[in-house]
Amino acid sequence: MPILDLGREADPVLTRVVEEDKVRWWKKKNLRYLYFLLYPTCMGIEITSGFDSQMINGLQFIPTWNKYFGKHSVNASGKDVWAIEGPLLGMISASYNLGAIFAVPVVPWVAQRVGRRWSILIGSVFQCAGAVIQGFSQHVGMYIVARMILGFGIVFCLVSGSSMLGELSYPKERPFMTSMFNASWFVGSLIASGIVLETAKISTDWGWRIPSLLQCVPSLVQIVLIFKSFIPESPRYLISKDRRDEAFEILVKYHAEGDRESIFVKAEMVQIETTIQLEAEVAKQSWWDMVKTPGMRRRTSLAAAMGLFTQWSGNTLISFYLSKILIMIGYTDTNTKAYINLGNTAWSFVNGTTIALISPRFKRRTMFLTGAIGMLCVYVSWTIAMQQTMKGLEPGNKPNKAAGIAVLFFIYFYSPWYNIGNNALAYTYMVELFPYAERSRGIAVEQFFVRGAGFFTTFVNPIGMDNAGWKYLIMYIVMILLEICTIYFFYPETQGRTLEELAFLFEDEEVAEKAVMAVEKTIHHEGGD
């Protein structure tokens, strides 16, 4: 058993009411319509993010991109080749995360000031501008700045989009919606992989410019849906701004299918109002709140750990530098590498989406631990196979084809284990961990460490692989071991509760009981007990 107190949830009064609702979401007209809108508006954010990662990975297969930004050299067979040097390639990839880091301090303020919807719209505008500049870049400096603008915008969208999903979804489907948020990354990744595979056949610079421009498409959809007011605002945001009637109408429409006398919606309103009021008594809506109390310090530490582990578990090595890995194990043909990349992307999409629908059904700690232990086994095996493969490619040695195939197997086998915890549950856990008043800042803290760790790994990975070869993988083995220890000793359980029932996870029981009593009073009064 963990040696630390891992927190407590409030009595799940409203959760029990939700469990009595046996009608599936697709049989509810208004809720079905809401989820139909939330997919492009919120999950489309991660589609953009996945498109970017896979696009940078795929562009490394395109000769015109390497020729435009790289340096000329002649290989051992006397053939002219162009390649981007490790440090520059790292900077191009990492600039996206660098731009995101600059956005973190202001994003929570914007989200609390103008709401979730308009924060997403602001981020989407930056995304569109960055994609256009990226597509028409005239030199590498312009390309890097464009990617920083893209990164700056994505944080506005990620913080508010993940919050909106958790705050608008019906409690029964909320874990699945927030899990699908991260899983939609693979949709963008798969689309980008297919586009790059086709544009690689174009012999001009449009082979890499077209994918760069198409990156703005999901953001354009989000701008239209928000600007035309198709998507509602978060009820919790409206209540925090004393716009109770608007919040009530949204909850009635989507959580009760228009039934204004719904006991559930009335109890939900009371729970949200009471919880936000109790939060406001101790929260000053500033960054100081993140470390002010022991409970908030624990949440902030967990957000930081989550951010680091989602990037330092070895995933960026595959997401950004698969082409480089394949060259190291003897796969140099452009088409072969492109099809291996497409196959891995398609496989990740299939298992990532499937796991996102399954993982929320189980306890969070169990899923995180299972995923981390699986990643450790894969990386240890991958490291051994990589060493044997590279040894066989040394002059005078016989190529070890079996070891090379094993490396490919472990690259493919890695994604299910990463997706079980770090992908499927990352935003689900963040939304559950932080109370409403600090949710935007909590996710922003997580994003700061995601982007900081991502910047470091995407910049250092190509340099490390050039200098250390297969030994570079050992660093990730150590990081995954640290991740397993952190999960076991510090991650609290949050599965099976509403957001308000988790709001005082690390606080005094008396505070949590106030919200519980208010909900019980409403349920008993409306139910006639």
Side-chain angles (χ1 to χ4, degrees):
M1 291 292 291
I3 59 174
L4 297 177
D5 174 21
L6 297 180
R8 64 187 70 83
E9 310 96 340
D11 187 28
V13 177
L14 201 60
T15 297
R16 289 197 292 268
V17 176
V18 172
E19 290 172 350
E20 293 173 4
D21 180 7
K22 304 301 181 182
V23 182
R24 307 306 293 265
W25 66 268
W26 58 80
K27 294 182 178 180
K28 300 177 181 179
K29 179 182 177 182
N30 293 344
L31 188 61
R32 187 172 66 239
Y33 177 70
L34 173 65
Y35 292 163
F36 176 77
L37 292 175
L38 284 175
Y39 190 88
T41 307
C42 295
M43 297 185 191
I45 295 164
E46 278 290 6
I47 291 176
T48 303
S49 188
F51 189 101
D52 180 85
S53 295
Q54 189 53 237
M55 183 191 71
I56 290 298
N57 194 8
L59 288 180
Q60 295 172 50
F61 303 135
I62 298 180
T64 55
W65 189 75
N66 286 289
K67 186 175 181 179
Y68 198 89
F69 295 118
K71 287 187 177 182
H72 172 263
S73 63
V74 179
N75 63 16
S77 60
K79 184 179 178 181
D80 290 330
V81 293
W82 284 266
I84 301 174
E85 295 180 338
L88 180 58
L89 179 60
M91 189 63 209
I92 289 173
S93 302
S95 56
Y96 187 81
N97 286 317
L98 182 60
I101 291 171
F102 292 142
V104 167
V106 299
V107 166
W109 180 84
V110 172
Q112 294 294 97
R113 182 82 174 182
V114 302
R116 313 304 196 201
R117 293 171 63 252
W118 289 98
S119 181
I120 294 173
L121 186 141
I122 291 169
S124 297
V125 170
F126 276 107
Q127 293 272 89
C128 288
V132 171
I133 297 171
Q134 180 178 248
F136 290 105
S137 292
Q138 299 302 304
H139 48 77
V140 71
M142 187 174 177
Y143 197 82
I144 289 173
V145 169
R147 291 188 52 70
M148 289 179 66
I149 294 172
L150 282 162
F152 187 86
I154 195 66
V155 181
F156 285 87
C157 298
L158 286 172
V159 170
S160 291
S162 57
S163 297
M164 179 176 275
L165 268 178
E167 293 166 4
L168 269 175
S169 299
Y170 190 64
K172 188 183 292 185
E173 289 88 41
R174 174 183 51 76
F176 299 98
M177 294 295 287
T178 48
S179 290
M180 286 299 295
F181 179 72
N182 232 11
S184 61
W185 186 96
F186 296 109
V187 177
S189 180
L190 185 61
I191 292 170
S193 185
I195 290 173
V196 170
L197 188 65
E198 290 301 312
T199 60
K201 301 172 184 177
I202 301 174
S203 58
T204 66
D205 290 339
W206 286 105
W208 63 266
R209 292 187 187 276
I210 289 174
S212 300
L213 289 169
L214 289 176
Q215 190 171 344
C216 72
V217 173
S219 297
L220 287 172
V221 174
Q222 290 151 20
I223 290 171
V224 171
L225 290 175
I226 292 172
F227 193 73
K228 293 292 185 179
S229 298
F230 289 117
I231 195 79
E233 181 55 86
S234 162
R236 288 165 176 81
Y237 167 77
L238 294 172
I239 289 173
S240 72
K241 297 299 181 182
D242 296 323
R243 294 160 62 181
R244 184 187 187 281
D245 293 342
E246 294 176 59
F248 182 71
E249 292 300 326
I250 290 172
L251 291 175
V252 166
K253 181 177 180 179
Y254 296 111
H255 287 190
E257 294 298 300
D259 181 8
R260 301 182 63 84
E261 301 304 318
S262 167
I263 295 176
F264 170 75
V265 167
K266 291 181 179 181
E268 188 178 26
M269 277 291 295
V270 169
Q271 188 183 58
I272 294 172
E273 288 179 309
T274 305
T275 303
I276 289 178
Q277 181 182 355
L278 291 170
E279 291 173 14
E281 292 176 2
V282 295
K284 303 301 180 183
Q285 297 289 310
S286 70
W287 284 104
W288 172 246
D289 290 338
M290 304 306 294
V291 294
K292 186 178 179 180
T293 65
M296 286 309 301
R297 286 194 290 273
R298 289 184 65 177
R299 290 185 177 94
T300 302
S301 298
L302 288 168
M306 283 282 294
L308 290 174
F309 294 140
T310 56
Q311 299 300 304
W312 281 0
S313 297
N315 52 305
T316 56
L317 205 58
I318 300 171
S319 299
F320 286 91
Y321 301 111
L322 181 57
S323 175
K324 200 171 187 68
I325 294 169
L326 294 177
I327 291 172
M328 291 171 69
I329 61 174
Y331 291 87
T332 57
D333 179 69
T334 299
N335 287 333
T336 301
K337 290 189 295 180
Y339 279 109
I340 290 173
N341 179 54
L342 180 61
N344 185 53
T345 304
W347 162 240
S348 297
F349 166 72
V350 171
N351 74 69
T353 304
T354 304
I355 289 169
L357 295 173
I358 297 173
S359 201
R361 301 176 186 272
F362 299 92
K363 290 186 177 296
R364 309 295 186 243
R365 281 171 48 81
T366 302
M367 291 295 97
F368 279 118
L369 277 172
T370 300
I373 293 170
M375 287 189 293
L376 177 65
C377 295
V378 168
Y379 249 88
V380 170
S381 303
W382 178 7
T383 302
I384 295 170
M386 190 89 166
Q387 186 270 335
Q388 290 296 308
T389 306
M390 295 184 69
K391 182 179 179 181
L393 293 174
E394 293 175 357
N397 290 345
K398 182 180 179 180
N400 192 334
K401 293 183 178 180
I405 293 172
V407 170
L408 290 180
F409 170 79
F410 289 121
I411 288 173
Y412 275 65
F413 195 47
Y414 171 84
S415 65
W417 301 107
Y418 179 85
N419 291 336
I420 285 173
N422 286 345
N423 186 72
L425 296 177
Y427 287 105
T428 300
Y429 202 56
M430 285 295 98
V431 170
E432 291 173 345
L433 197 60
F434 284 92
Y436 169 79
E438 308 301 345
R439 188 165 294 135
S440 292
R441 287 184 180 83
I443 298 175
V445 168
E446 188 254 1
Q447 279 295 301
F448 176 81
F449 284 91
V450 165
R451 302 304 165 178
F455 175 79
F456 178 82
T457 55
T458 50
F459 181 73
V460 171
N461 278 344
I463 301 172
M465 286 189 288
D466 285 343
N467 293 303
W470 66 268
K471 296 177 183 176
Y472 184 68
L473 300 182
I474 297 174
M475 182 194 77
Y476 287 114
I477 293 175
V478 174
M479 286 304 304
I480 296 171
L481 278 169
L482 178 61
E483 180 177 355
I484 291 171
C485 293
T486 303
I487 293 168
Y488 183 79
F489 289 113
F490 297 104
Y491 278 33
E493 186 53 64
T494 60
Q495 191 247 4
R497 298 290 185 268
T498 67
L499 298 182
E500 279 65 42
E501 288 165 355
L502 291 166
F504 306 106
L505 186 64
F506 298 128
E507 280 69 34
D508 293 337
E509 289 187 54
E510 292 183 7
V511 180
E513 282 301 313
K514 291 182 181 179
V516 173
M517 291 173 63
V519 174
E520 286 183 332
K521 182 178 179 181
T522 300
I523 292 174
H524 294 158
H525 174 73
E526 296 295 334
D529 293 341

